[in-house]
């Protein structure tokens, strides 16, 4: 049992090399600290590990549908954290939020239909529609020194009569923006007027910093909210991405019934260990989550202080996530990703998010590793 005491849970992390870690294998054998793909270097909390151990001890891993505790555990979690209690019968397990997005494209739109989204954005939002024979319509967020905000004129002019879905990333990856009630209601008005369905990816909603409040889109008192689909998962918050367990909250019974078949046999069932971990995380993971948030705030502030000292870098302080989105265009360096890699740092490349000239740093690692990464960030832009 690798249950860590609360004090060292975020300090003593196992070596992930040789475990098939996407994050660590990318630059294996090179002195490049990987602060890119969004998983954490921390072990999951003891309560979650215990539940997985208990499921393993059961010893039978046959085909598994949503266990009876799955939906109630998610509802209890959403209720206590966000004050929202969706109908448990509207919840279906999916092996990933990305899978859920891909399924909504196939389920709710036809060939050549358009899916709108705010950019920059998590890369699958840009690539999945094309893979399904649909089109992504990019609506750039407006950037100021203090915030990334919705450009309503851009949104109005982007929509056509082929626009069928709005994929909302809420909270927003990579900027860490948390959309507030007025913005969500205005977005609801816009989508309702044009008959567009909102699919809200709320995978980051448990990681709000600074005591911020997340408002689930579907919890709004609005007709657009009542037919919205919500996708969520315990995977970001409790570091469970490799267990492949997420949830789609689909109020329409017919859509819900057709969700799995729309995967065309390509989408597997959720695995039984993922269910065990998810349920335990939602039921028992909150003290650990709160402790994690304290660390993530400190890490975010360390990055902001480092960025402020490097001429030409700029960054809006994220209100959620463990990601920091850095504008490197002021440095005059055309390929900041290459500059970072040359200095021994591996961020995510803004080009993948539709925004060249930016990088994204993942701060979910031990503090000593983050501090070393920030020294390398400084070196990247000093030497170039
Ligand atoms: C906004 C967003 N959605 C979905 C995912 C991935 O979800 P899953 O692993 O459940 O497919 C990520 C991972 O970083 C993400 O940032």
């Amino acid at each position: 049992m690798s249950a860590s005491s609360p004090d060292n849970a975020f300090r003593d992390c196992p070596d992930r090399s040789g475990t098939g870690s996407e994050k660590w294998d990318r630059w294996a054998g090179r002195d490049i600290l990987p602060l890119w793909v969004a998983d954490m270097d921390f072990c999951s909390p003891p309560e979650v590990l215990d539940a997985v151990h208990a499921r393993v001890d059961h010893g039978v891993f046959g085909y598994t549908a949503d266990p009876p505790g799955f939906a109630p555990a998610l509802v209890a979690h959403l209720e206590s954290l966000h004050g929202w209690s969706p109908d448990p019968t509207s919840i279906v397990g999916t092996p990933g939020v990305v899978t859920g997005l891909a399924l909504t494209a196939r389920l709710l739109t036809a060939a050549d239909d358009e899916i709108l989204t705010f950019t920059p954005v998590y890369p699958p939002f840009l690539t999945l529609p094309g893979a399904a024979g649909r089109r992504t319509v990019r609506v750039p967020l407006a950037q100021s020194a203090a915030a990334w905000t919705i450009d309503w004129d851009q949104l109005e002019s982007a929509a056509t009569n082929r626009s069928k879905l709005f994929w909302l990333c809420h909270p927003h990856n990579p900027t860490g923006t948390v959309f507030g009630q007025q913005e969500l209601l205005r977005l609801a008005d816009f989508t309702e007027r044009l008959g567009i369905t909102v699919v809200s990816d709320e995978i980051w909603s448990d990681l709000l910093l600074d005591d911020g409040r997340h408002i689930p889109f579907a919890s709004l008192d609005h007709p657009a909210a009542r037919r919205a689909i919500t996708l969520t998962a315990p995977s970001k918050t409790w570091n469970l991405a490799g267990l492949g367990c997420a949830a789609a909250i689909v109020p329409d019974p017919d859509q819900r019934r057709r969700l799995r078949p729309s995967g065309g046999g390509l989408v597997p069932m959720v695995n039984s260990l993922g269910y065990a971990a998810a349920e335990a995380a939602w039921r028992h993971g909150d003290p650990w989550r709160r402790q994690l948030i304290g660390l993530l705030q400190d890490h975010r502030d360390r990055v902001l202080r480092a960025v402020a000292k490097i001429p030409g870098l700029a960054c809006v302080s994220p209100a959620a996530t463990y990601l920091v989105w850095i504008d490197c265009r002021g440095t005059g360096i055309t390929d900041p990703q290459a500059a970072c890699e040359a200095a021994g740092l591996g961020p995510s490349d803004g080009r993948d998010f539709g925004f060249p000239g930016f990088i994204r740093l993942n701060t979910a690692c031990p503090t000593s590793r983050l501090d070393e990464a920030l020294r390398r960030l400084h070196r990247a832009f000093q030497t170039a």
Side-chain angles (χ1 to χ4, degrees):
M1 170 77 48
S2 57
S4 318
S5 81
D7 289 341
N8 64 17
F10 305 121
R11 203 172 51 218
D12 305 329
C13 299
D15 178 4
R16 298 179 68 190
S17 53
T19 65
S21 157
E22 189 182 10
K23 187 182 197 175
W24 281 87
D25 284 359
R26 176 157 171 193
W27 291 289
R30 298 170 62 190
D31 180 22
I32 296 181
L33 283 178
L35 270 69
W36 67 294
V37 69
D39 71 23
M40 308 196 277
D41 289 335
F42 312 129
C43 285
S44 295
E47 296 79 0
V48 173
L49 299 181
D50 288 347
V52 174
H53 282 286
R55 185 64 189 82
V56 169
D57 289 343
H58 180 264
V60 182
F61 305 105
Y63 293 115
T64 309
D66 294 358
F70 179 70
L74 175 56
V75 173
H77 170 69
L78 293 170
E79 167 69 45
S80 80
L81 215 60
H82 310 308
W84 178 45
S85 310
D87 177 352
T89 66
S90 68
I91 296 174
V92 279
T94 91
V97 165
V98 168
T99 307
L101 287 168
L103 291 178
T104 65
R106 285 164 175 79
L107 183 67
L108 300 174
T109 70
D112 291 331
D113 278 351
E114 295 164 352
I115 301 175
L116 281 72
T117 197
F118 295 132
T119 58
V121 76
Y122 175 59
F125 280 59
L126 302 177
T127 56
L128 292 175
R134 278 65 169 166
R135 283 179 285 152
T136 305
V137 176
R138 303 175 184 212
V139 183
L141 291 169
Q143 180 185 5
S144 74
W148 291 85
T149 49
I150 298 172
D151 182 334
W152 297 102
D153 293 336
Q154 289 256 16
L155 182 60
E156 288 288 349
S157 58
T160 74
N161 58 5
R162 299 306 306 248
S163 306
K164 294 292 170 355
L165 288 184
F166 193 98
W167 279 358
L168 179 65
C169 188
H170 171 49
H172 184 256
N173 171 6
T175 64
T177 302
V178 173
F179 299 108
Q181 187 168 36
Q182 294 316 313
E183 290 162 300
L184 295 173
L185 281 171
R186 191 163 167 188
L187 185 65
D189 284 342
F190 166 81
T191 55
E192 189 64 11
R193 175 159 47 84
L194 298 182
I196 294 171
T197 300
V198 173
V199 177
S200 189
D201 173 346
E202 305 196 0
I203 197 169
W204 289 103
S205 59
D206 299 335
L207 292 179
L208 265 68
L209 311 177
D210 313 317
D211 295 324
R213 179 170 170 236
H214 169 76
I215 304 173
F217 181 85
S219 72
L220 296 173
D221 184 12
H222 195 286
R226 285 189 275 284
R227 57 192 185 82
I229 291 179
T230 307
L231 301 169
T232 192
S235 49
K236 296 295 148 201
T237 314
W238 292 281
N239 210 24
L240 301 169
L243 286 179
C245 180
I249 307 175
V250 186
D252 182 84
D254 185 50
Q255 285 176 359
R256 209 158 55 231
R257 194 177 43 74
R258 291 189 294 129
L259 193 71
R260 222 187 286 278
S262 71
L266 294 172
V267 176
M269 300 171 88
V270 178
N271 85 73
S272 48
L273 298 183
Y275 280 126
E279 208 174 311
W282 287 326
R283 287 258 182 233
H284 309 298
D286 209 54
W288 190 92
R289 182 191 68 86
R290 278 189 266 116
Q291 205 191 344
L292 172 69
I293 283 176
L295 181 86
L296 298 182
Q297 287 170 177
D298 174 59
H299 282 190
R300 186 250 340 246
D301 295 344
R302 281 169 195 260
V303 177
L304 295 181
R305 283 196 297 273
V307 163
K309 287 188 193 141
I310 302 174
L313 293 191
C315 174
V316 173
S317 179
T321 78
Y322 48 71
L323 310 169
V324 186
W325 179 240
I326 303 172
D327 185 349
C328 309
R329 292 171 301 173
T331 62
I333 293 171
T334 48
D335 191 344
Q337 179 74 21
C340 286
E341 289 180 28
L345 175 64
S348 294
D349 188 339
R351 280 176 289 214
D352 298 336
F353 298 74
F355 268 49
F358 286 73
I359 55 168
R360 192 193 72 177
L361 284 189
N362 170 350
T363 73
C365 62
T367 305
S368 57
R369 187 173 297 154
L370 180 67
D371 286 343
E372 175 56 24
L374 295 175
R375 281 191 281 279
R376 294 178 185 204
L377 182 74
H378 192 262
R379 203 192 308 155
F381 294 102
Q382 196 179 42
T383 52

